[in-house]
């Protein structure tokens, strides 16, 4: 019921920059947290950064100082701007969002948690 559409991945040289975008659509009442995770070949999916509707951001140590997460609540969109990219940043980047749907359940509005399909980021050395 909630679709996340990512864009902005691609191939970039080490030291370069990239901006990822993720737009949520569907039966959304509110989104509490949006974020980015990544998964490199042979590794587990890991947190990159998250941001709440109030603007509180959280970053993985590996990207602190190099990445900035932001969101446009009116557009249900989250962004990740990364600078000084390194080969070890190469991974599939997934958008994540959780919040409330417009539908009602026995305990109030229905919760949702959704993932995007992923976008490849490749950093060449």
């Amino acid at each position: 019921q909630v679709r996340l559409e990512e864009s902005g991945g691609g191939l970039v040289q080490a030291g370069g920059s990239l901006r990822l975008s993720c737009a949520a659509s569907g039966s959304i009442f509110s989104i509490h947290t949006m974020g980015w995770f990544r998964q490199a070949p042979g590794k587990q999916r890991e947190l990159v950064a998250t941001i709440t509707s109030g603007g509180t951001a959280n970053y993985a140590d590996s990207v602190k100082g190099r990445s900035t997460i932001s969101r446009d609540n009116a557009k249900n969109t989250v962004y990740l701007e990364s600078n000084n990219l390194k080969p070890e940043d190469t991974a599939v980047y997934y958008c994540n969002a959780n919040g409330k749907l417009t539908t009602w359940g026995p305990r109030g509005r229905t919760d949702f948690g959704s993932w995007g399909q992923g976008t490849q980021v490749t950093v060449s050395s």
Side-chain angles (χ1 to χ4, degrees), residues 26-102:
S27 304
I28 299 169
F29 177 76
S30 63
I31 302 178
H32 180 260
T33 303
M34 301 187 81
W36 292 94
F37 292 72
R38 67 186 182 187
Q39 188 167 18
K43 295 188 177 181
Q44 289 188 332
R45 190 172 298 189
E46 63 178 8
L47 167 77
V48 177
T50 60
I51 186 168
T52 67
S53 56
T56 300
N58 178 51
Y59 296 93
D61 288 342
S62 58
V63 304
K64 275 182 184 176
R66 300 189 297 120
S67 294
T68 302
I69 189 169
S70 61
R71 64 188 279 179
D72 184 332
N73 291 329
K75 295 181 179 179
N76 288 334
T77 299
V78 64
Y79 308 95
L80 181 72
E81 188 143 6
S82 299
N83 303 306
N84 190 24
L85 285 163
K86 305 174 181 180
E88 50 264 42
D89 293 317
T90 295
V92 177
Y93 283 67
Y94 296 92
C95 178
N96 175 267
N98 63 75
K100 300 284 187 181
L101 299 174
T102 56

Side-chain angles (χ1 to χ4, degrees), residues 3-15:
R3 180 186 178 198
L4 302 181
E5 187 167 355
E6 300 132 331
S7 60
L11 175 65
V12 63
Q13 289 189 330

